[in-house]
Amino acid sequence: MDQRRIGTSGLTVSAIGLGGNTFGATVDGDDAVRTIQHAIDQGITFIDSADVYSQGRSEELIGQAIKGRRETVVVATKCGIPLGAPHTGGLSRRWITQAAEDSLRRLGTDYIDLFYAHRPDPATPIEETLRALDDLVRAGKVRYLGCSNYRAWEVAYGIGVSKDLGLDRWVAAQNRWNLLDGLDSPELEQAADALGVGIVPYTPLASGILTGKYARDEEPAAGTRLGDLSGIRGR
């Protein structure tokens, strides 16, 4: 498996990553663990999750699958989307700190390779968010930082604030990007090159549409991702 460097950082990952969005939902338990371990055996060592995926179950399954082989994988996860309970979600210092600790516990590890802000939080000053993320890096709980679902100007602004404050900065931007829909923030490609940020596409196969398993003018079959989770393309 080819390795790719994320932006201008020192972090390298397998060219193909394994997304954890469906772990704990359409794929659960031993089936999920076997799927993750099989991917690792095939050289896919970049695994992506988020605290909101199946309310943390995705992270738990990944933690089970990588037990005993933690050093061979790069694990990314995210925080920021509300989990439903009071005072969860957003990018305040309070929640980022708590969310990181919760993710570490579920993953069964003492560090996260790549930790994303899952989406912008207009209710929290970005300085507060970036300082809280920087604290996680300085504490050794996170190795690299990223942002997800941010537009090009938001990525550039966040990196500029980090530079001004002397904080660790985002090295990765995770955005929706596939041949069907294009890049959700078209200007991000040029901005990322200029800023030294790596783009990590999510839904590169358009939630399975580009795999060829769905027929034109036919309803998706029950038991498929598109058939069972009709709203998943908007995630």
Side-chain angles (χ1 to χ4, degrees):
M1 178 68 66
D2 290 341
Q3 297 290 308
R4 304 279 175 84
R5 188 159 65 119
I6 293 188
T8 55
S9 75
L11 181 63
T12 59
V13 298
S14 57
I16 298 174
L18 179 64
N21 180 277
T22 60
F23 295 142
T26 56
V27 185
D28 203 352
D30 292 341
D31 286 342
V33 171
R34 282 193 294 267
T35 297
I36 298 164
Q37 292 177 339
H38 179 70
I40 296 171
D41 292 339
Q42 300 307 306
I44 299 174
T45 56
F46 185 27
I47 305 173
D48 178 85
S49 191
D51 57 0
V52 74
Y53 294 169
S54 299
Q55 297 292 104
R57 178 65 173 159
S58 173
E59 291 179 325
E60 292 174 351
L61 291 165
I62 291 169
Q64 293 174 35
I66 66 174
K67 188 175 182 180
R69 55 205 308 184
R70 174 67 181 92
E71 298 302 320
T72 68
V73 297
V74 174
V75 177
T77 194
K78 300 175 280 291
C79 78
I81 293 180
L83 300 179
H87 309 302
T88 66
L91 295 173
S92 67
R93 173 179 294 278
R94 179 183 185 277
W95 181 241
I96 286 174
T97 304
Q98 183 62 54
E101 294 291 349
D102 291 343
S103 289
L104 289 167
R105 173 177 48 79
R106 287 189 292 261
L107 290 164
T109 184
D110 56 3
Y111 68 96
I112 296 165
D113 293 291
L114 177 57
F115 195 52
Y116 293 98
H118 204 155
R119 68 183 184 191
D121 175 14
T124 300
I126 194 168
E127 293 84 357
E128 178 179 341
T129 295
L130 296 173
R131 286 188 186 279
L133 292 171
D134 181 76
D135 285 347
L136 292 174
V137 174
R138 293 177 185 274
K141 296 180 179 182
V142 168
R143 301 287 169 83
Y144 295 90
L145 300 172
C147 59
S148 182
N149 299 302
Y150 282 63
R151 290 170 290 179
W153 74 265
E154 293 172 314
V155 176
Y157 182 70
I159 288 176
V161 172
S162 293
K163 183 177 179 180
D164 287 345
L165 297 177
L167 305 175
D168 213 76
R169 72 182 188 94
W170 294 324
V171 301
Q174 188 182 64
N175 285 63
R176 183 176 178 84
W177 195 5
N178 57 63
L179 289 173
L180 186 63
D181 302 311
L183 180 58
D184 61 7
S185 178
E187 299 84 4
L188 181 59
E189 190 172 5
Q190 287 185 319
D193 284 341
L195 296 166
V197 171
I199 300 178
V200 181
Y202 71 80
T203 61
L205 296 175
S207 299
I209 294 173
L210 297 176
T211 64
K213 70 196 233 177
Y214 302 109
R216 187 184 298 273
D217 300 324
E218 290 183 12
E219 286 294 319
T224 62
R225 190 179 188 199
L226 196 64
D228 290 352
L229 300 175
S230 60
I232 202 165
R233 290 192 63 208
R235 290 190 178 183

